[in-house]
Amino acid sequence: MNKLIIGRYLPGTSLLHILDARAKLIAGFYFIFILFFAEDWPAYILLWSFTFWVMHLSGVHFKTYIRGVRPLIWLILFTVCLQVLFTAGGEIYFEWGPVTISQFGIVSGIYIFFRFVMIIFISTVITLTTKPIDLTEAIHFLLKPLRIFKIPVEEISIMLSIALRFIPNLLDETQKIMDAQKARGTEFGKGSLFQQMKTLVPIFLPLFVSSLNRAEEVANVMEVRGYQPNARRSSFRKLRWKWADTLSLVIMIFLTVGLLIMNTIV
């Protein structure tokens, strides 16, 4: 659990660290959006090259990203297996009832694996290079137009800020509970599937209680300090849009053009 780095922030002086949080959020969501328009291998090669370039610009060692994606690899592989086993098309290699292994299913599974990993990498880059408070300000700024639809933008932004802030704390708390259970003789990852599921109960119950207590403490602190969710307020931290932020969005436009060209090659 201590290897999961999504939601953590690493201080640094790289080019991505100094970019405006709004530019990183817009570019990140846009990259995830265009991922689903990749249709062939040349397009995925282009997207992987861009992903590796962005990871290099973050100034964080590549091994850190690998360690961060490792805890999620089983969830990704499970999704890929569902795609491979229940998607038919092209040449059929194996068929048994609803289970079908086909050429189209295998290729689709590989593409889905690439998409998931790239989404995790790009999301991790954003959180590693952006302070949680800056992410909150960026989300609040980008959601402002939704006020005309009576959507509580301030409440949504503060909820996201608190969630991002406490992801590392939740992971650390989980690790502490697991260490305490190991000291009491609990062995994780051994025995049958049912036995392994039973060993998770002593983790989830204390973690759930701890999360509720922490949420109550945060709510009490906010209430004592006079926080009003619907009140209009100014921001102590001002986000500043620079030429580098504009350049990052221009690069995304060039990436889109390159992706369209790659899709037409094959």
Side-chain angles (χ1 to χ4, degrees):
M1 295 298 292
N2 58 356
K3 294 180 180 179
L4 192 63
I5 60 175
I6 294 180
R8 299 179 186 267
Y9 168 70
L10 296 180
T13 58
S14 69
L15 178 61
L16 294 184
H17 279 84
I18 64 175
L19 284 180
D20 193 288
R22 293 169 292 182
K24 284 185 276 190
L25 276 180
I26 294 173
F29 282 117
Y30 184 76
F31 179 81
I32 294 173
F33 174 74
I34 65 174
L35 265 179
F36 295 92
F37 290 92
E39 300 175 354
D40 298 297
W41 293 107
Y44 278 96
I45 292 175
L46 174 65
L47 293 173
W48 268 115
S49 301
F50 177 80
T51 303
F52 287 140
W53 179 61
V54 171
M55 292 164 62
H56 175 71
L57 290 179
S58 67
V60 180
H61 201 280
F62 183 72
K63 291 183 179 179
T64 304
Y65 292 101
I66 298 298
R67 289 197 299 267
V69 79
R70 206 174 281 170
L72 301 173
I73 195 66
W74 293 111
L75 178 62
I76 299 173
L77 292 178
F78 176 74
T79 306
V80 171
C81 288
L82 292 179
Q83 184 71 21
V84 172
L85 296 177
F86 297 99
T87 302
E91 184 178 353
I92 303 297
Y93 302 115
F94 176 81
E95 187 173 4
W96 184 67
V99 177
T100 303
I101 300 179
S102 64
Q103 180 183 6
F104 181 75
I106 294 175
V107 174
S108 298
I110 295 174
Y111 286 168
I112 288 178
F113 178 81
F114 286 163
R115 288 172 185 167
F116 267 106
V117 175
M118 281 191 281
I119 289 173
I120 293 174
F121 280 160
I122 292 298
S123 303
T124 304
V125 168
I126 294 175
T127 57
L128 286 180
T129 61
T130 312
K131 296 179 181 178
I133 188 65
D134 291 338
L135 276 178
T136 304
E137 292 294 332
I139 293 172
H140 181 261
F141 179 86
L142 296 176
L143 293 180
K144 277 184 179 179
L146 297 179
R147 285 176 175 171
I148 60 176
F149 300 107
K150 305 299 182 180
I151 295 178
V153 174
E154 286 77 11
E155 294 182 28
I156 294 175
S157 61
I158 195 65
M159 279 194 307
L160 291 174
S161 172
I162 294 174
L164 288 172
R165 172 62 182 83
F166 282 103
I167 286 177
N169 298 66
L170 192 63
L171 297 177
D172 294 338
E173 188 73 20
T174 304
Q175 187 63 47
K176 291 180 181 178
I177 295 174
M178 292 181 66
D179 293 339
Q181 295 297 334
K182 288 179 181 179
R184 293 181 174 92
T186 303
E187 295 183 354
F188 297 100
K190 293 185 178 181
S192 63
L193 179 61
F194 182 73
Q195 291 174 338
Q196 293 183 39
M197 292 174 63
K198 286 181 63 176
T199 58
L200 296 179
V201 176
I203 298 177
F204 289 144
L205 289 180
L207 186 63
F208 184 72
V209 173
S210 175
S211 300
L212 288 179
N213 292 334
R214 193 187 300 271
E216 186 176 3
E217 291 175 0
V218 172
N220 291 335
V221 170
M222 294 175 68
E223 184 177 0
V224 168
R225 295 185 178 182
Y227 176 78
Q228 299 293 329
N230 298 322
R232 295 277 182 171
R233 56 177 56 83
S234 59
S235 176
F236 176 76
R237 303 178 64 88
K238 298 295 183 181
L239 299 176
R240 300 183 181 276
W241 190 273
K242 302 176 288 296
W243 67 268
D245 304 310
T246 304
L247 179 60
S248 65
L249 300 185
V250 173
I251 292 175
M252 298 306 299
I253 296 176
F254 281 110
L255 179 64
T256 305
V257 175
L259 180 62
L260 296 176
I261 294 174
M262 291 298 179
N263 282 336
T264 59
I265 289 179
V266 180

mmCIF file of all heavy atoms in Angstrom, residues 5-39:
data_model
loop_
_atom_site.group_PDB
_atom_site.id
_atom_site.type_symbol
_atom_site.label_atom_id
_atom_site.label_comp_id
_atom_site.label_asym_id
_atom_site.label_seq_id
_atom_site.Cartn_x
_atom_site.Cartn_y
_atom_site.Cartn_z
ATOM 1 N N ILE A 5 1.326 5.588 -5.382
ATOM 2 C CA ILE A 5 1.748 6.987 -5.343
ATOM 3 C C ILE A 5 0.712 7.931 -5.919
ATOM 4 O O ILE A 5 0.917 9.150 -5.884
ATOM 5 C CB ILE A 5 3.085 7.166 -6.095
ATOM 6 C CG1 ILE A 5 2.932 6.749 -7.569
ATOM 7 C CG2 ILE A 5 4.185 6.395 -5.427
ATOM 8 C CD1 ILE A 5 4.158 6.996 -8.401
ATOM 9 N N ILE A 6 -0.394 7.406 -6.474
ATOM 10 C CA ILE A 6 -1.442 8.286 -6.976
ATOM 11 C C ILE A 6 -2.025 9.071 -5.803
ATOM 12 O O ILE A 6 -2.422 8.494 -4.798
ATOM 13 C CB ILE A 6 -2.534 7.493 -7.697
ATOM 14 C CG1 ILE A 6 -1.988 6.852 -8.968
ATOM 15 C CG2 ILE A 6 -3.712 8.382 -8.050
ATOM 16 C CD1 ILE A 6 -3.009 6.059 -9.742
ATOM 17 N N GLY A 7 -2.113 10.379 -5.927
ATOM 18 C CA GLY A 7 -2.618 11.235 -4.865
ATOM 19 C C GLY A 7 -1.535 11.865 -4.021
ATOM 20 O O GLY A 7 -1.815 12.751 -3.215
ATOM 21 N N ARG A 8 -0.294 11.443 -4.206
ATOM 22 C CA ARG A 8 0.815 12.018 -3.447
ATOM 23 C C ARG A 8 1.458 13.151 -4.248
ATOM 24 O O ARG A 8 1.408 13.175 -5.470
ATOM 25 C CB ARG A 8 1.854 10.949 -3.117
ATOM 26 C CG ARG A 8 1.332 9.806 -2.257
ATOM 27 C CD ARG A 8 2.409 8.784 -2.003
ATOM 28 N NE ARG A 8 1.909 7.614 -1.292
ATOM 29 C CZ ARG A 8 1.931 7.472 0.021
ATOM 30 N NH1 ARG A 8 2.447 8.434 0.765
ATOM 31 N NH2 ARG A 8 1.460 6.378 0.597
ATOM 32 N N TYR A 9 2.082 14.061 -3.523
ATOM 33 C CA TYR A 9 2.795 15.179 -4.146
ATOM 34 C C TYR A 9 4.258 15.114 -3.766
ATOM 35 O O TYR A 9 4.607 14.949 -2.591
ATOM 36 C CB TYR A 9 2.193 16.513 -3.693
ATOM 37 C CG TYR A 9 3.048 17.708 -4.067
ATOM 38 C CD1 TYR A 9 3.165 18.106 -5.398
ATOM 39 C CD2 TYR A 9 3.746 18.416 -3.095
ATOM 40 C CE1 TYR A 9 3.957 19.191 -5.749
ATOM 41 C CE2 TYR A 9 4.533 19.506 -3.436
ATOM 42 C CZ TYR A 9 4.637 19.884 -4.765
ATOM 43 O OH TYR A 9 5.419 20.956 -5.115
ATOM 44 N N LEU A 10 5.135 15.220 -4.779
ATOM 45 C CA LEU A 10 6.576 15.241 -4.560
ATOM 46 C C LEU A 10 7.103 16.621 -4.949
ATOM 47 O O LEU A 10 7.012 17.008 -6.117
ATOM 48 C CB LEU A 10 7.273 14.156 -5.401
ATOM 49 C CG LEU A 10 6.928 12.706 -5.073
ATOM 50 C CD1 LEU A 10 7.703 11.762 -5.980
ATOM 51 C CD2 LEU A 10 7.225 12.396 -3.608
ATOM 52 N N PRO A 11 7.631 17.383 -4.018
ATOM 53 C CA PRO A 11 8.168 18.712 -4.353
ATOM 54 C C PRO A 11 9.298 18.597 -5.368
ATOM 55 O O PRO A 11 10.076 17.641 -5.367
ATOM 56 C CB PRO A 11 8.682 19.236 -3.001
ATOM 57 C CG PRO A 11 7.961 18.423 -1.973
ATOM 58 C CD PRO A 11 7.743 17.075 -2.582
ATOM 59 N N GLY A 12 9.387 19.587 -6.225
ATOM 60 C CA GLY A 12 10.431 19.581 -7.239
ATOM 61 C C GLY A 12 10.474 20.907 -7.988
ATOM 62 O O GLY A 12 9.667 21.811 -7.738
ATOM 63 N N THR A 13 11.415 21.009 -8.903
ATOM 64 C CA THR A 13 11.591 22.246 -9.685
ATOM 65 C C THR A 13 11.529 21.961 -11.180
ATOM 66 O O THR A 13 12.057 22.737 -11.973
ATOM 67 C CB THR A 13 12.942 22.894 -9.338
ATOM 68 O OG1 THR A 13 14.002 21.942 -9.603
ATOM 69 C CG2 THR A 13 12.989 23.313 -7.881
ATOM 70 N N SER A 14 10.905 20.869 -11.565
ATOM 71 C CA SER A 14 10.839 20.525 -12.982
ATOM 72 C C SER A 14 9.888 21.455 -13.722
ATOM 73 O O SER A 14 9.159 22.251 -13.103
ATOM 74 C CB SER A 14 10.379 19.075 -13.157
ATOM 75 O OG SER A 14 9.024 18.941 -12.769
ATOM 76 N N LEU A 15 9.890 21.343 -15.046
ATOM 77 C CA LEU A 15 9.009 22.172 -15.865
ATOM 78 C C LEU A 15 7.547 21.917 -15.540
ATOM 79 O O LEU A 15 6.737 22.857 -15.511
ATOM 80 C CB LEU A 15 9.279 21.891 -17.351
ATOM 81 C CG LEU A 15 8.402 22.649 -18.358
ATOM 82 C CD1 LEU A 15 8.603 24.152 -18.209
ATOM 83 C CD2 LEU A 15 8.703 22.193 -19.776
ATOM 84 N N LEU A 16 7.188 20.668 -15.263
ATOM 85 C CA LEU A 16 5.794 20.360 -14.942
ATOM 86 C C LEU A 16 5.396 20.893 -13.575
ATOM 87 O O LEU A 16 4.225 21.204 -13.347
ATOM 88 C CB LEU A 16 5.569 18.848 -15.002
ATOM 89 C CG LEU A 16 5.693 18.192 -16.378
ATOM 90 C CD1 LEU A 16 5.353 16.712 -16.298
ATOM 91 C CD2 LEU A 16 4.792 18.879 -17.398
ATOM 92 N N HIS A 17 6.350 20.996 -12.651
ATOM 93 C CA HIS A 17 6.033 21.531 -11.326
ATOM 94 C C HIS A 17 5.628 23.002 -11.391
ATOM 95 O O HIS A 17 4.795 23.451 -10.589
ATOM 96 C CB HIS A 17 7.234 21.375 -10.384
ATOM 97 C CG HIS A 17 7.357 20.000 -9.795
ATOM 98 N ND1 HIS A 17 7.972 18.962 -10.455
ATOM 99 C CD2 HIS A 17 6.947 19.483 -8.600
ATOM 100 C CE1 HIS A 17 7.946 17.879 -9.697
ATOM 101 N NE2 HIS A 17 7.335 18.160 -8.574
ATOM 102 N N ILE A 18 6.199 23.745 -12.327
ATOM 103 C CA ILE A 18 5.921 25.176 -12.384
ATOM 104 C C ILE A 18 4.740 25.508 -13.297
ATOM 105 O O ILE A 18 4.309 26.652 -13.355
ATOM 106 C CB ILE A 18 7.164 25.955 -12.864
ATOM 107 C CG1 ILE A 18 7.534 25.564 -14.299
ATOM 108 C CG2 ILE A 18 8.330 25.719 -11.926
ATOM 109 C CD1 ILE A 18 8.684 26.380 -14.863
ATOM 110 N N LEU A 19 4.191 24.508 -13.996
ATOM 111 C CA LEU A 19 3.034 24.764 -14.836
ATOM 112 C C LEU A 19 1.807 25.055 -13.980
ATOM 113 O O LEU A 19 1.686 24.589 -12.845
ATOM 114 C CB LEU A 19 2.742 23.568 -15.743
ATOM 115 C CG LEU A 19 3.635 23.359 -16.969
ATOM 116 C CD1 LEU A 19 3.185 22.120 -17.729
ATOM 117 C CD2 LEU A 19 3.602 24.578 -17.880
ATOM 118 N N ASP A 20 0.896 25.828 -14.539
ATOM 119 C CA ASP A 20 -0.359 26.129 -13.864
ATOM 120 C C ASP A 20 -1.173 24.841 -13.708
ATOM 121 O O ASP A 20 -1.244 24.022 -14.632
ATOM 122 C CB ASP A 20 -1.149 27.161 -14.656
ATOM 123 C CG ASP A 20 -2.304 27.733 -13.856
ATOM 124 O OD1 ASP A 20 -3.288 26.997 -13.639
ATOM 125 O OD2 ASP A 20 -2.234 28.904 -13.463
ATOM 126 N N ALA A 21 -1.800 24.673 -12.549
ATOM 127 C CA ALA A 21 -2.585 23.461 -12.297
ATOM 128 C C ALA A 21 -3.753 23.342 -13.270
ATOM 129 O O ALA A 21 -4.153 22.234 -13.640
ATOM 130 C CB ALA A 21 -3.102 23.473 -10.855
ATOM 131 N N ARG A 22 -4.300 24.474 -13.714
ATOM 132 C CA ARG A 22 -5.404 24.421 -14.673
ATOM 133 C C ARG A 22 -4.947 23.848 -16.000
ATOM 134 O O ARG A 22 -5.670 23.046 -16.627
ATOM 135 C CB ARG A 22 -5.975 25.828 -14.869
ATOM 136 C CG ARG A 22 -6.660 26.393 -13.633
ATOM 137 C CD ARG A 22 -6.961 27.854 -13.777
ATOM 138 N NE ARG A 22 -5.724 28.658 -13.811
ATOM 139 C CZ ARG A 22 -5.694 29.973 -13.894
ATOM 140 N NH1 ARG A 22 -6.836 30.657 -13.950
ATOM 141 N NH2 ARG A 22 -4.555 30.628 -13.904
ATOM 142 N N ALA A 23 -3.763 24.244 -16.445
ATOM 143 C CA ALA A 23 -3.232 23.718 -17.703
ATOM 144 C C ALA A 23 -2.997 22.220 -17.602
ATOM 145 O O ALA A 23 -3.296 21.462 -18.536
ATOM 146 C CB ALA A 23 -1.937 24.439 -18.067
ATOM 147 N N LYS A 24 -2.468 21.755 -16.461
ATOM 148 C CA LYS A 24 -2.205 20.329 -16.300
ATOM 149 C C LYS A 24 -3.503 19.530 -16.256
ATOM 150 O O LYS A 24 -3.581 18.423 -16.816
ATOM 151 C CB LYS A 24 -1.376 20.101 -15.030
ATOM 152 C CG LYS A 24 0.089 20.475 -15.201
ATOM 153 C CD LYS A 24 0.909 20.140 -13.981
ATOM 154 C CE LYS A 24 0.809 21.235 -12.951
ATOM 155 N NZ LYS A 24 1.790 21.057 -11.843
ATOM 156 N N LEU A 25 -4.511 20.066 -15.592
ATOM 157 C CA LEU A 25 -5.790 19.353 -15.543
ATOM 158 C C LEU A 25 -6.440 19.281 -16.925
ATOM 159 O O LEU A 25 -6.925 18.219 -17.339
ATOM 160 C CB LEU A 25 -6.734 20.045 -14.566
ATOM 161 C CG LEU A 25 -6.589 19.692 -13.087
ATOM 162 C CD1 LEU A 25 -7.602 20.462 -12.256
ATOM 163 C CD2 LEU A 25 -6.779 18.199 -12.874
ATOM 164 N N ILE A 26 -6.450 20.404 -17.640
ATOM 165 C CA ILE A 26 -7.052 20.421 -18.974
ATOM 166 C C ILE A 26 -6.314 19.468 -19.900
ATOM 167 O O ILE A 26 -6.923 18.657 -20.617
ATOM 168 C CB ILE A 26 -7.052 21.851 -19.548
ATOM 169 C CG1 ILE A 26 -7.968 22.753 -18.725
ATOM 170 C CG2 ILE A 26 -7.490 21.846 -21.007
ATOM 171 C CD1 ILE A 26 -7.899 24.216 -19.113
ATOM 172 N N ALA A 27 -4.976 19.539 -19.890
ATOM 173 C CA ALA A 27 -4.175 18.668 -20.751
ATOM 174 C C ALA A 27 -4.351 17.201 -20.353
ATOM 175 O O ALA A 27 -4.430 16.319 -21.220
ATOM 176 C CB ALA A 27 -2.704 19.071 -20.677
ATOM 177 N N GLY A 28 -4.420 16.917 -19.046
ATOM 178 C CA GLY A 28 -4.579 15.544 -18.590
ATOM 179 C C GLY A 28 -5.902 14.931 -19.013
ATOM 180 O O GLY A 28 -5.948 13.815 -19.541
ATOM 181 N N PHE A 29 -6.988 15.659 -18.789
ATOM 182 C CA PHE A 29 -8.306 15.151 -19.188
ATOM 183 C C PHE A 29 -8.413 15.041 -20.706
ATOM 184 O O PHE A 29 -9.043 14.106 -21.226
ATOM 185 C CB PHE A 29 -9.409 16.054 -18.638
ATOM 186 C CG PHE A 29 -9.698 15.839 -17.190
ATOM 187 C CD1 PHE A 29 -9.490 16.847 -16.265
ATOM 188 C CD2 PHE A 29 -10.171 14.614 -16.734
ATOM 189 C CE1 PHE A 29 -9.750 16.644 -14.920
ATOM 190 C CE2 PHE A 29 -10.431 14.396 -15.393
ATOM 191 C CZ PHE A 29 -10.224 15.411 -14.485
ATOM 192 N N TYR A 30 -7.812 15.993 -21.404
ATOM 193 C CA TYR A 30 -7.857 15.936 -22.859
ATOM 194 C C TYR A 30 -7.077 14.728 -23.382
ATOM 195 O O TYR A 30 -7.513 14.061 -24.327
ATOM 196 C CB TYR A 30 -7.288 17.224 -23.446
ATOM 197 C CG TYR A 30 -7.375 17.293 -24.955
ATOM 198 C CD1 TYR A 30 -8.583 17.572 -25.573
ATOM 199 C CD2 TYR A 30 -6.253 17.064 -25.747
ATOM 200 C CE1 TYR A 30 -8.675 17.630 -26.961
ATOM 201 C CE2 TYR A 30 -6.336 17.108 -27.127
ATOM 202 C CZ TYR A 30 -7.548 17.404 -27.720
ATOM 203 O OH TYR A 30 -7.640 17.439 -29.088
ATOM 204 N N PHE A 31 -5.929 14.436 -22.753
ATOM 205 C CA PHE A 31 -5.143 13.262 -23.169
ATOM 206 C C PHE A 31 -5.936 11.978 -22.950
ATOM 207 O O PHE A 31 -5.937 11.074 -23.806
ATOM 208 C CB PHE A 31 -3.836 13.225 -22.386
ATOM 209 C CG PHE A 31 -2.969 12.042 -22.718
ATOM 210 C CD1 PHE A 31 -2.161 12.049 -23.844
ATOM 211 C CD2 PHE A 31 -2.972 10.914 -21.906
ATOM 212 C CE1 PHE A 31 -1.359 10.957 -24.158
ATOM 213 C CE2 PHE A 31 -2.174 9.814 -22.214
ATOM 214 C CZ PHE A 31 -1.377 9.849 -23.340
ATOM 215 N N ILE A 32 -6.605 11.867 -21.802
ATOM 216 C CA ILE A 32 -7.422 10.682 -21.541
ATOM 217 C C ILE A 32 -8.551 10.573 -22.568
ATOM 218 O O ILE A 32 -8.913 9.473 -23.007
ATOM 219 C CB ILE A 32 -7.982 10.735 -20.104
ATOM 220 C CG1 ILE A 32 -6.832 10.638 -19.093
ATOM 221 C CG2 ILE A 32 -9.001 9.629 -19.866
ATOM 222 C CD1 ILE A 32 -7.257 10.852 -17.656
ATOM 223 N N PHE A 33 -9.100 11.717 -22.964
ATOM 224 C CA PHE A 33 -10.179 11.721 -23.960
ATOM 225 C C PHE A 33 -9.700 11.212 -25.317
ATOM 226 O O PHE A 33 -10.340 10.351 -25.939
ATOM 227 C CB PHE A 33 -10.747 13.138 -24.085
ATOM 228 C CG PHE A 33 -11.755 13.301 -25.180
ATOM 229 C CD1 PHE A 33 -13.039 12.793 -25.044
ATOM 230 C CD2 PHE A 33 -11.418 13.967 -26.351
ATOM 231 C CE1 PHE A 33 -13.971 12.943 -26.062
ATOM 232 C CE2 PHE A 33 -12.341 14.112 -27.372
ATOM 233 C CZ PHE A 33 -13.625 13.598 -27.230
ATOM 234 N N ILE A 34 -8.544 11.698 -25.778
ATOM 235 C CA ILE A 34 -8.079 11.298 -27.112
ATOM 236 C C ILE A 34 -7.507 9.890 -27.110
ATOM 237 O O ILE A 34 -7.313 9.301 -28.180
ATOM 238 C CB ILE A 34 -7.037 12.295 -27.663
ATOM 239 C CG1 ILE A 34 -5.767 12.287 -26.805
ATOM 240 C CG2 ILE A 34 -7.624 13.683 -27.770
ATOM 241 C CD1 ILE A 34 -4.652 13.148 -27.372
ATOM 242 N N LEU A 35 -7.230 9.331 -25.923
ATOM 243 C CA LEU A 35 -6.754 7.952 -25.859
ATOM 244 C C LEU A 35 -7.725 6.998 -26.536
ATOM 245 O O LEU A 35 -7.324 6.020 -27.166
ATOM 246 C CB LEU A 35 -6.560 7.528 -24.399
ATOM 247 C CG LEU A 35 -5.174 7.648 -23.781
ATOM 248 C CD1 LEU A 35 -5.208 7.195 -22.333
ATOM 249 C CD2 LEU A 35 -4.158 6.843 -24.559
ATOM 250 N N PHE A 36 -9.024 7.276 -26.402
ATOM 251 C CA PHE A 36 -10.039 6.370 -26.923
ATOM 252 C C PHE A 36 -10.236 6.521 -28.427
ATOM 253 O O PHE A 36 -11.063 5.814 -29.003
ATOM 254 C CB PHE A 36 -11.351 6.603 -26.180
ATOM 255 C CG PHE A 36 -11.274 6.263 -24.713
ATOM 256 C CD1 PHE A 36 -10.952 7.233 -23.775
ATOM 257 C CD2 PHE A 36 -11.499 4.972 -24.275
ATOM 258 C CE1 PHE A 36 -10.872 6.921 -22.430
ATOM 259 C CE2 PHE A 36 -11.419 4.647 -22.932
ATOM 260 C CZ PHE A 36 -11.098 5.619 -22.016
ATOM 261 N N PHE A 37 -9.485 7.425 -29.044
ATOM 262 C CA PHE A 37 -9.550 7.572 -30.495
ATOM 263 C C PHE A 37 -8.379 6.878 -31.183
ATOM 264 O O PHE A 37 -8.303 6.881 -32.407
ATOM 265 C CB PHE A 37 -9.573 9.054 -30.879
ATOM 266 C CG PHE A 37 -10.862 9.741 -30.520
ATOM 267 C CD1 PHE A 37 -11.010 10.382 -29.302
ATOM 268 C CD2 PHE A 37 -11.937 9.729 -31.393
ATOM 269 C CE1 PHE A 37 -12.193 11.014 -28.959
ATOM 270 C CE2 PHE A 37 -13.124 10.357 -31.065
ATOM 271 C CZ PHE A 37 -13.258 11.000 -29.840
ATOM 272 N N ALA A 38 -7.475 6.298 -30.393
ATOM 273 C CA ALA A 38 -6.364 5.540 -30.978
ATOM 274 C C ALA A 38 -6.899 4.214 -31.507
ATOM 275 O O ALA A 38 -7.561 3.472 -30.773
ATOM 276 C CB ALA A 38 -5.275 5.307 -29.942
ATOM 277 N N GLU A 39 -6.607 3.926 -32.750
ATOM 278 C CA GLU A 39 -7.184 2.750 -33.399
ATOM 279 C C GLU A 39 -6.143 1.723 -33.821
ATOM 280 O O GLU A 39 -6.494 0.552 -34.006
ATOM 281 C CB GLU A 39 -7.990 3.174 -34.633
ATOM 282 C CG GLU A 39 -9.153 4.116 -34.308
ATOM 283 C CD GLU A 39 -9.851 4.609 -35.555
ATOM 284 O OE1 GLU A 39 -9.342 4.308 -36.671
ATOM 285 O OE2 GLU A 39 -10.891 5.275 -35.433
#
